[in-house]
Amino acid sequence: MILSAALGNLSAQSARSSKFGIGTLENAFQAEAEQFLMSRPEIGEELQSHPTASGGITDITFRNIPLELKAEPSRLVTLDDCKKYFDQTASYSIGLGKKVGLLAVFETSSKSSPHGVVEDDMQISTHQLNNSAIAIVTIIIRGGYPVPSSYSKR
């Protein structure tokens, strides 16, 4: 829950401040997310970058719970679109001996209108991987918003 709350905060900051511009790429997002999470006192040094699990390399772990980071710089994504990353996230969770994993999808497509409230971009799902049920906490972090006054200038 600590990591979920922090990612929700990052998502809200992104929506409020236009923190990330149109087309921001995954490596820039990963660096920003890692720095943001490490600066939080409740997370700090317990965050690990790129540990191995299930023969792969995770993006980030916190208390051995994987956080998989993905980016979509060119199109609007939905929570349903994020399901294509569930097998990877669940595999890392199982490899680390956990029944939960986090997935943060960073979306910075060009927007012509506000997308919606941050809470609608968060979901907890159960993902079945062979005989194991893994909880996947998904959070979409959106960027690419113009300043609100631009909506009335069309």
Side-chain angles (χ1 to χ4, degrees):
M1 293 312 292
I2 293 170
L3 202 52
S4 297
L7 290 167
N9 183 267
L10 180 60
S11 181
Q13 284 185 31
S14 180
R16 285 188 196 116
S17 67
S18 299
K19 185 178 187 94
F20 300 105
I22 296 168
T24 302
L25 299 177
E26 188 168 340
N27 60 350
F29 167 60
Q30 286 190 2
E32 178 74 25
E34 186 175 341
Q35 182 63 38
F36 175 82
L37 294 170
M38 288 185 81
S39 71
R40 296 182 66 97
E42 70 275 22
I43 296 173
E45 64 186 37
E46 292 186 77
L47 198 72
Q48 290 185 313
S49 181
H50 303 294
T52 59
S54 297
I57 299 173
T58 65
D59 290 324
I60 293 174
T61 62
F62 174 69
R63 297 180 181 167
N64 238 21
I65 296 171
L67 166 58
E68 185 59 27
L69 302 170
K70 297 294 183 185
E72 179 52 68
S74 59
R75 70 178 187 86
L76 194 66
V77 295
T78 66
L79 286 166
D80 277 344
D81 294 329
C82 299
K83 290 178 182 177
K84 68 183 177 184
Y85 304 119
F86 280 14
D87 279 350
Q88 181 181 11
T89 305
S91 179
Y92 288 145
S93 297
I94 291 168
L96 292 165
K98 300 296 181 182
K99 293 192 64 79
V100 64
L102 281 85
L103 170 64
V105 178
F106 180 60
E107 184 271 308
T108 58
S109 65
S110 178
K111 316 255 182 330
S112 59
S113 64
H115 178 69
V117 296
V118 171
E119 291 83 359
D120 291 340
D121 283 333
M122 300 176 190
Q123 178 177 305
I124 300 173
S125 306
T126 301
H127 183 65
Q128 194 70 35
L129 192 61
N130 296 319
N131 63 346
S132 297
I134 305 298
I136 306 285
V137 178
T138 306
I139 299 173
I140 299 173
I141 299 171
R142 298 192 189 275
Y145 290 104
V147 295
S149 61
S150 70
Y151 297 135
S152 62
K153 295 178 182 176
R154 292 172 206 196

PDB file of all heavy atoms in Angstrom, residues 95-109:
ATOM      1  N   GLY A  95       8.485 -15.006  -8.934  1.00  0.00           N
ATOM      2  CA  GLY A  95       9.928 -15.199  -8.802  1.00  0.00           C
ATOM      3  C   GLY A  95      10.499 -14.600  -7.526  1.00  0.00           C
ATOM      4  O   GLY A  95      11.519 -15.066  -7.017  1.00  0.00           O
ATOM      5  N   LEU A  96       9.836 -13.582  -7.004  1.00  0.00           N
ATOM      6  CA  LEU A  96      10.277 -12.944  -5.765  1.00  0.00           C
ATOM      7  C   LEU A  96       9.523 -13.483  -4.543  1.00  0.00           C
ATOM      8  O   LEU A  96       9.691 -12.985  -3.428  1.00  0.00           O
ATOM      9  CB  LEU A  96      10.093 -11.422  -5.868  1.00  0.00           C
ATOM     10  CG  LEU A  96      11.026 -10.740  -6.868  1.00  0.00           C
ATOM     11  CD1 LEU A  96      10.556  -9.325  -7.177  1.00  0.00           C
ATOM     12  CD2 LEU A  96      12.459 -10.726  -6.343  1.00  0.00           C
ATOM     13  N   GLY A  97       8.665 -14.498  -4.776  1.00  0.00           N
ATOM     14  CA  GLY A  97       7.933 -15.108  -3.678  1.00  0.00           C
ATOM     15  C   GLY A  97       6.791 -14.258  -3.146  1.00  0.00           C
ATOM     16  O   GLY A  97       6.406 -14.380  -1.990  1.00  0.00           O
ATOM     17  N   LYS A  98       6.213 -13.434  -4.002  1.00  0.00           N
ATOM     18  CA  LYS A  98       5.119 -12.548  -3.586  1.00  0.00           C
ATOM     19  C   LYS A  98       3.849 -12.891  -4.351  1.00  0.00           C
ATOM     20  O   LYS A  98       3.887 -13.440  -5.447  1.00  0.00           O
ATOM     21  CB  LYS A  98       5.479 -11.076  -3.842  1.00  0.00           C
ATOM     22  CG  LYS A  98       6.719 -10.612  -3.102  1.00  0.00           C
ATOM     23  CD  LYS A  98       6.521 -10.653  -1.608  1.00  0.00           C
ATOM     24  CE  LYS A  98       7.744 -10.162  -0.868  1.00  0.00           C
ATOM     25  NZ  LYS A  98       7.606 -10.226   0.567  1.00  0.00           N
ATOM     26  N   LYS A  99       2.723 -12.530  -3.770  1.00  0.00           N
ATOM     27  CA  LYS A  99       1.429 -12.739  -4.422  1.00  0.00           C
ATOM     28  C   LYS A  99       0.823 -11.420  -4.875  1.00  0.00           C
ATOM     29  O   LYS A  99      -0.357 -11.330  -5.172  1.00  0.00           O
ATOM     30  CB  LYS A  99       0.479 -13.475  -3.482  1.00  0.00           C
ATOM     31  CG  LYS A  99       0.965 -14.907  -3.222  1.00  0.00           C
ATOM     32  CD  LYS A  99      -0.030 -15.777  -2.558  1.00  0.00           C
ATOM     33  CE  LYS A  99      -1.259 -16.060  -3.316  1.00  0.00           C
ATOM     34  NZ  LYS A  99      -1.256 -17.041  -4.360  1.00  0.00           N
ATOM     35  N   VAL A 100       1.672 -10.385  -4.936  1.00  0.00           N
ATOM     36  CA  VAL A 100       1.228  -9.067  -5.378  1.00  0.00           C
ATOM     37  C   VAL A 100       2.348  -8.424  -6.195  1.00  0.00           C
ATOM     38  O   VAL A 100       3.525  -8.666  -5.950  1.00  0.00           O
ATOM     39  CB  VAL A 100       0.830  -8.167  -4.178  1.00  0.00           C
ATOM     40  CG1 VAL A 100       2.023  -7.869  -3.285  1.00  0.00           C
ATOM     41  CG2 VAL A 100       0.174  -6.876  -4.638  1.00  0.00           C
ATOM     42  N   GLY A 101       1.943  -7.646  -7.182  1.00  0.00           N
ATOM     43  CA  GLY A 101       2.881  -6.875  -7.988  1.00  0.00           C
ATOM     44  C   GLY A 101       2.235  -5.566  -8.386  1.00  0.00           C
ATOM     45  O   GLY A 101       1.000  -5.459  -8.403  1.00  0.00           O
ATOM     46  N   LEU A 102       3.057  -4.584  -8.657  1.00  0.00           N
ATOM     47  CA  LEU A 102       2.545  -3.286  -9.089  1.00  0.00           C
ATOM     48  C   LEU A 102       2.961  -3.020 -10.522  1.00  0.00           C
ATOM     49  O   LEU A 102       4.059  -3.399 -10.944  1.00  0.00           O
ATOM     50  CB  LEU A 102       3.075  -2.162  -8.201  1.00  0.00           C
ATOM     51  CG  LEU A 102       2.365  -2.017  -6.862  1.00  0.00           C
ATOM     52  CD1 LEU A 102       2.957  -2.951  -5.842  1.00  0.00           C
ATOM     53  CD2 LEU A 102       2.437  -0.601  -6.385  1.00  0.00           C
ATOM     54  N   LEU A 103       2.068  -2.375 -11.243  1.00  0.00           N
ATOM     55  CA  LEU A 103       2.293  -2.016 -12.637  1.00  0.00           C
ATOM     56  C   LEU A 103       1.935  -0.544 -12.799  1.00  0.00           C
ATOM     57  O   LEU A 103       0.804  -0.151 -12.522  1.00  0.00           O
ATOM     58  CB  LEU A 103       1.414  -2.878 -13.553  1.00  0.00           C
ATOM     59  CG  LEU A 103       1.342  -2.502 -15.023  1.00  0.00           C
ATOM     60  CD1 LEU A 103       2.709  -2.639 -15.699  1.00  0.00           C
ATOM     61  CD2 LEU A 103       0.307  -3.371 -15.728  1.00  0.00           C
ATOM     62  N   ALA A 104       2.906   0.252 -13.201  1.00  0.00           N
ATOM     63  CA  ALA A 104       2.657   1.666 -13.477  1.00  0.00           C
ATOM     64  C   ALA A 104       2.863   1.893 -14.969  1.00  0.00           C
ATOM     65  O   ALA A 104       3.939   1.602 -15.503  1.00  0.00           O
ATOM     66  CB  ALA A 104       3.593   2.559 -12.668  1.00  0.00           C
ATOM     67  N   VAL A 105       1.827   2.354 -15.636  1.00  0.00           N
ATOM     68  CA  VAL A 105       1.898   2.625 -17.073  1.00  0.00           C
ATOM     69  C   VAL A 105       1.845   4.134 -17.248  1.00  0.00           C
ATOM     70  O   VAL A 105       0.907   4.798 -16.815  1.00  0.00           O
ATOM     71  CB  VAL A 105       0.765   1.926 -17.838  1.00  0.00           C
ATOM     72  CG1 VAL A 105       0.832   2.267 -19.323  1.00  0.00           C
ATOM     73  CG2 VAL A 105       0.836   0.419 -17.627  1.00  0.00           C
ATOM     74  N   PHE A 106       2.876   4.638 -17.874  1.00  0.00           N
ATOM     75  CA  PHE A 106       3.067   6.062 -18.074  1.00  0.00           C
ATOM     76  C   PHE A 106       2.592   6.415 -19.476  1.00  0.00           C
ATOM     77  O   PHE A 106       3.094   5.885 -20.457  1.00  0.00           O
ATOM     78  CB  PHE A 106       4.552   6.361 -17.903  1.00  0.00           C
ATOM     79  CG  PHE A 106       4.932   7.778 -18.080  1.00  0.00           C
ATOM     80  CD1 PHE A 106       4.392   8.757 -17.269  1.00  0.00           C
ATOM     81  CD2 PHE A 106       5.870   8.131 -19.026  1.00  0.00           C
ATOM     82  CE1 PHE A 106       4.770  10.081 -17.415  1.00  0.00           C
ATOM     83  CE2 PHE A 106       6.251   9.442 -19.181  1.00  0.00           C
ATOM     84  CZ  PHE A 106       5.703  10.416 -18.375  1.00  0.00           C
ATOM     85  N   GLU A 107       1.613   7.291 -19.565  1.00  0.00           N
ATOM     86  CA  GLU A 107       0.992   7.626 -20.851  1.00  0.00           C
ATOM     87  C   GLU A 107       1.113   9.129 -21.087  1.00  0.00           C
ATOM     88  O   GLU A 107       0.669   9.919 -20.266  1.00  0.00           O
ATOM     89  CB  GLU A 107      -0.469   7.174 -20.808  1.00  0.00           C
ATOM     90  CG  GLU A 107      -1.213   7.365 -22.090  1.00  0.00           C
ATOM     91  CD  GLU A 107      -1.866   8.726 -22.195  1.00  0.00           C
ATOM     92  OE1 GLU A 107      -2.595   9.101 -21.272  1.00  0.00           O
ATOM     93  OE2 GLU A 107      -1.625   9.406 -23.206  1.00  0.00           O
ATOM     94  N   THR A 108       1.760   9.512 -22.188  1.00  0.00           N
ATOM     95  CA  THR A 108       1.977  10.939 -22.473  1.00  0.00           C
ATOM     96  C   THR A 108       1.564  11.327 -23.879  1.00  0.00           C
ATOM     97  O   THR A 108       2.218  12.141 -24.527  1.00  0.00           O
ATOM     98  CB  THR A 108       3.455  11.335 -22.259  1.00  0.00           C
ATOM     99  OG1 THR A 108       4.279  10.534 -23.108  1.00  0.00           O
ATOM    100  CG2 THR A 108       3.872  11.171 -20.818  1.00  0.00           C
ATOM    101  N   SER A 109       0.472  10.752 -24.350  1.00  0.00           N
ATOM    102  CA  SER A 109      -0.012  11.151 -25.671  1.00  0.00           C
ATOM    103  C   SER A 109      -0.545  12.582 -25.619  1.00  0.00           C
ATOM    104  O   SER A 109      -0.887  13.092 -24.547  1.00  0.00           O
ATOM    105  CB  SER A 109      -1.119  10.194 -26.132  1.00  0.00           C
ATOM    106  OG  SER A 109      -2.242  10.294 -25.287  1.00  0.00           O
TER     107      SER A 109
END
